[in-house]
Amino acid sequence: TFSLIVTLLLLPFIFKLDINLPNYIIILLIIKSILLLTSSLLFMKAIKHSEFSEVMPLKNLSPIFLLIIAYLALDENINATKLLGVIIIIGCVYLLERKSLNRSNIFRNKYFMYVGLSMIFVSFAAVLDKFIIRHANVYTSIFVPFLLMSVYLLAIQFIFYKGFYDIKDSLKNGKYWIFLSAITILLSDVLYFSTLVV
């Protein structure tokens, strides 16, 4: 429902989409949408079967995965400031997760592993953004992956779940919060891609 709302909010900007893109950029957009879809599904599965307060702090590890992948894929340098940032993030996550680490082995908890995999997929998607934004404008870079994710998720929704009933139910339960979060993530993505262009 969330992905669908973001796509609908982007419809007024459809005339600003880049039509003539190189084939490899189209392929990268498709790959990015699959990475984001897989990441979302893994993270939702982890939230559903774990304590929310235990799962959410792990999401903050995403910049560490991104730093490593950007270093390997884009040959970006790792300086002292970035290393200090990594140490601070790990320290904060440890403080938040200390009790759950004492209760169980994090490496044996498959749902914690799902969060880790989710962050890795998001990081790979972010690395692809560096290549995509060179040829596609901000609107295309946001709209196409969200549109494809909406299509994938609608197919999953209708094949494995209750289709429109679940969408209607999520709108009823989420109320205006689901719209507010969709607008927030949309603004966040526009600002993010705008900085990549500069």
Side-chain angles (χ1 to χ4, degrees):
T1 306
F2 173 80
S3 185
L4 197 58
I5 289 169
V6 172
T7 305
L8 292 172
L9 288 171
L10 282 165
L11 282 179
F13 304 98
I14 201 164
F15 62 93
K16 292 190 175 185
L17 297 182
D18 286 327
I19 307 286
N20 299 314
L21 292 172
N23 288 337
Y24 83 95
I25 295 296
I26 294 168
I27 291 167
L28 288 181
L29 284 165
I30 294 168
I31 292 170
K32 180 187 173 182
S33 69
I34 293 168
L35 287 170
L36 292 175
L37 171 74
T38 309
S39 172
S40 297
L41 292 175
L42 286 169
F43 193 73
M44 289 303 128
K45 191 85 171 169
I47 285 177
K48 185 177 179 182
H49 296 282
S50 304
E51 291 290 329
F52 190 75
S53 60
E54 292 178 359
V55 170
M56 285 310 289
L58 293 174
K59 198 171 183 182
N60 295 315
L61 294 173
S62 179
I64 298 170
F65 293 118
L66 180 56
L67 183 69
I68 295 166
I69 294 167
Y71 173 74
L72 297 172
L74 302 174
D75 201 29
E76 289 196 9
N77 66 328
I78 299 175
N79 56 30
T81 307
K82 291 177 183 176
L83 282 175
L84 179 62
V86 166
I87 292 166
I88 291 169
I89 290 169
I90 291 171
C92 292
V93 169
Y94 172 76
L95 289 172
L96 290 168
E97 293 288 345
R98 194 172 43 192
K99 288 182 181 177
S100 57
L101 287 171
N102 291 336
R103 283 201 307 270
S104 61
N105 185 344
I106 193 169
F107 298 105
R108 290 184 183 173
N109 186 327
K110 69 177 180 179
Y111 299 113
F112 280 25
M113 294 292 104
Y114 286 178
V115 176
L117 284 171
S118 172
M119 296 306 101
I120 290 170
F121 288 132
V122 164
S123 299
F124 273 112
V127 168
L128 292 183
D129 289 337
K130 285 280 269 188
F131 298 101
I132 292 168
I133 203 67
R134 291 175 188 167
H135 297 276
N137 65 21
V138 172
Y139 301 101
T140 308
S141 301
I142 299 170
F143 182 79
V144 173
F146 267 109
L147 175 65
L148 292 172
M149 277 182 63
S150 295
V151 172
Y152 307 147
L153 290 166
L154 279 172
I156 291 168
Q157 189 65 40
F158 280 90
I159 293 168
F160 298 105
Y161 300 99
K162 297 176 183 176
F164 282 122
Y165 174 82
D166 284 336
I167 293 170
K168 183 182 172 184
D169 192 50
S170 65
L171 287 169
K172 181 182 173 184
N173 291 325
K175 297 176 183 168
Y176 58 87
W177 290 110
I178 198 165
F179 290 95
L180 187 61
S181 63
I183 291 166
T184 304
I185 201 74
L186 191 53
L187 290 172
S188 167
D189 278 0
V190 169
L191 290 171
Y192 162 70
F193 279 103
S194 299
T195 58
L196 287 180
V197 172
V198 176

